[in-house]
Every structure is written in structure tokens, then in C-alpha cells.
């Protein structure tokens, strides 16, 4: 039997090489179409600001809206980040299907989803079965990619005007997603990062004004993203879900 690609968000070629595990290509196209609009950091900030409740639960609706905004950011950079954005689109669509499905009340928050899927035996803990991917597995892949984007955006925020974005991106990738990709994919990714635009070009893509204003808004948005990441990491660690196949 052929070996499976390493877990994690996959480069486009690897993602397309295996058959889809769910129906819903029309839905994925819809997510892609929505994500094709202009990126706005304000939209991502607004989504993640409303993500965490007073009880420290992560609401999946705002979480997925935040991800749609981040996908727009990746798309605005062209093909360089397609190795993450295409798989993120598929993962967001899977989660939106769950959030709008028959068991939608179980998918209001990350916590309710984990409780429901574990109690119902829907999560493949040791090896993957032939059934559709669980919400837990799907969110885990988005969670890993969110860490990379969080580190990358923080690097852009704290960097100097002449900081090399290729170095910032590579360091962020090596500290997060790289651990879940085979060598050939890691090599291709780091080569692609060499073609990244300047730091100021990235800050212009934020669509919030000057470079200084973009840096300020990143400073406002990143703590919310970091908070969502931390809650998710703790929840998945508590239930031993961080290494799902």
C-alpha cells in the first residue's frame, strides 16, 4: 500500500494527489470565491475578537470567519502560499458543513465539538478509517497552520523595514508546520519563501493604511489569535488530540 502524506496542511500537489474524503466541491468553490476578495486585517481582528466567550470557549463561527480572512491574505500573495491556502479552504468547508449540518448544535464551540465527537466515537485516535474526517482532525490541521501564520505575522510586526521576509517566514515555518511535512515538501516550501515580497509590501497588503498603522493593528490582532491558539492547544492536549492521524 502507498504511504500516506505526512499529516498537517499539505502542499497543493500532495493534497490533490489523494482522493477527496468528503463530497462538497461546490461548497469548497464557494469558500474559495469568498476568500478571493481583498484581504482586510480589520476583518480578521473582528472575527478573532469575538471568538472567545467569557467561559473561555472558542466559538467556531467566528473562528472560521477569521480563517476565511487569513485565506484571503494567503491568496493575495499569489501561488507562493497555495501549499497552505488550498488545503485550508478544504478544511474550512468541512467545518462549515458540520456547523450547518444536522448536528449543528454540537458544533457551536470547539469544546462542544470535542465533547460530542469523542463521546460518539467519531474521532480516529490511532489510525484513519474510511469515514469522513472528524471535526477534531480538521480543526487540528487548521490549528497547526494558525501557529505558523501567528509566528509569521508577529515576525512582520516586530521586524525592521529591511528585515528579510523569507527568513521570517522560514523561521516561522520551521517552528510550526515543518514538523508535519516530509523533507521534499519542506525543501520546496523554503525555496518558495525566497520569492516573498518585502516587509513593507506585506504591510500594504493588510489594507489598513500606512506601514505604521498596519504594525499597530497587528499588535492589536495577534493577542486575540494567540489566545485562540492557546485555548485550542490546551483543550487538544487535555484530550490527547494533538497527534491525530
Amino acid at each position: 500500500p502507498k504511504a500516506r502524506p505526512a499529516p498537517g496542511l499539505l502542499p497543493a500537489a500532495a493534497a490533490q494527489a489523494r482522493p477527496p474524503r468528503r463530497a462538497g466541491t461546490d461548497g469548497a468553490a464557494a469558500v474559495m470565491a469568498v476568500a478571493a476578495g481583498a484581504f482586510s486585517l480589520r476583518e480578521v481582528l473582528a472575527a478573532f475578537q469575538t471568538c472567545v466567550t467569557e467561559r473561555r470557549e472558542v466559538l467556531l463561527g467566528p473562528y472560521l470567519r477569521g480563517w476565511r480572512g487569513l485565506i484571503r491574505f494567503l491568496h493575495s500573495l499569489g501561488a507562493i502560499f497555495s501549499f497552505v491556502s488550498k488545503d485550508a479552504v478544504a478544511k474550512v468547508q468541512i467545518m462549515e458543513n458540520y456547523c450547518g449540518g444536522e448536528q449543528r448544535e454540537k458544533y457551536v464551540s470547539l469544546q462542544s465539538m470535542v465533547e460530542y465527537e469523542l463521546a460518539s466515537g467519531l474521532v480516529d485516535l490511532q489510525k484513519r478509517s474510511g469515514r469522513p474526517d472528524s471535526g477534531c482532525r480538521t480543526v487540528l490541521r487548521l490549528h497547526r497552520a494558525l501557529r505558523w501564520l501567528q509566528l509569521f505575522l508577529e515576525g512582520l510586526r516586530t521586524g525592521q523595514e529591511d528585515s528579510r521576509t523569507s527568513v521570517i517566514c522560514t523561521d516561522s515555518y520551521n517552528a510550526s508546520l515543518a514538523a508535519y511535512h516530509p523533507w521534499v515538501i519542506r525543501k520546496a516550501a523554503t525555496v518558495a519563501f525566497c520569492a516573498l515580497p518585502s516587509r513593507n509590501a506585506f504591510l500594504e497588503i493588510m489594507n489598513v493604511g500606512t506601514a505604521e498603522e498596519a504594525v499597530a493593528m497587528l499588535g492589536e490582532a495577534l493577542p486575540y489569535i494567540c489566545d485562540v491558539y492557546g485555548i485550542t492547544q490546551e483543550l487538544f492536549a487535555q484530550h490527547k488530540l494533538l497527534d491525530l492521524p
Side-chain angles (χ1 to χ4, degrees):
K2 295 182 180 178
R4 293 187 184 276
L9 286 171
L10 300 172
Q16 292 168 355
R18 70 186 188 195
R21 300 183 64 80
R22 290 180 64 93
T25 53
D26 290 345
V31 175
M32 184 76 82
V34 170
F39 170 69
S40 171
L41 183 58
R42 284 191 182 90
E43 175 193 345
V44 173
L45 170 59
F48 281 101
Q49 271 181 327
T50 57
C51 222
V52 179
T53 70
E54 291 182 358
R55 298 175 58 188
R56 305 290 290 163
E57 293 181 336
V58 175
L59 299 175
L60 284 172
Y63 181 83
L64 296 175
R65 284 198 298 275
W67 253 110
R68 283 197 295 271
L70 290 172
I71 290 169
R72 273 193 281 274
F73 171 61
L74 296 173
H75 283 168
S76 68
L77 299 169
I80 295 173
F81 286 124
S82 64
F83 81 103
V84 170
S85 63
K86 287 188 177 182
D87 209 44
V89 165
K91 298 294 186 277
V92 168
Q93 180 57 41
I94 290 172
M95 290 311 304
E96 289 183 338
N97 288 343
Y98 280 127
C99 291
E102 293 180 358
Q103 299 295 330
R104 64 176 66 91
E105 74 279 359
K106 307 296 186 182
Y107 291 87
V108 171
S109 72
L110 201 57
Q111 287 76 4
S112 64
M113 177 194 77
V114 169
E115 180 182 358
Y116 164 69
E117 289 196 340
L118 286 177
S120 303
L122 299 176
V123 184
D124 293 332
L125 297 172
Q126 302 299 326
K127 62 180 180 179
R128 295 180 70 183
S129 64
R131 61 188 173 187
D133 287 344
S134 64
C136 289
R137 182 187 189 275
T138 304
V139 168
L140 176 62
R141 270 59 188 176
L142 291 172
H143 175 68
R144 292 169 177 172
L146 186 64
R147 176 61 173 167
W148 169 52
L149 283 167
Q150 174 198 334
L151 293 173
F152 180 46
L153 292 173
E154 179 63 20
L156 290 176
R157 185 185 75 83
T158 59
Q160 303 300 313
E161 186 172 348
D162 60 350
S163 294
R164 293 175 58 196
T165 55
S166 59
V167 173
I168 296 172
C169 194
T170 299
D171 288 347
S172 303
Y173 176 73
N174 287 339
S176 54
L177 270 181
Y180 307 102
H181 290 161
W183 179 87
V184 65
I185 290 172
R186 295 198 302 270
K187 184 65 175 177
T190 52
V191 168
F193 295 157
C194 292
L196 289 175
S198 68
R199 176 175 177 269
N200 277 351
F202 268 106
L203 296 176
E204 287 179 14
I205 290 170
M206 304 294 168
N207 284 326
V208 292
T210 65
E212 291 75 17
E213 289 171 322
V215 166
M217 186 163 286
L218 279 173
E220 189 178 352
L222 282 165
Y224 291 103
I225 294 174
C226 186
D227 194 31
V228 169
Y229 178 86
I231 294 172
T232 307
Q233 182 77 4
E234 183 177 348
L235 177 68
F236 275 50
Q238 176 187 344
H239 293 282
K240 297 180 173 59
L241 300 174
L242 289 173
D243 296 304
L244 293 178

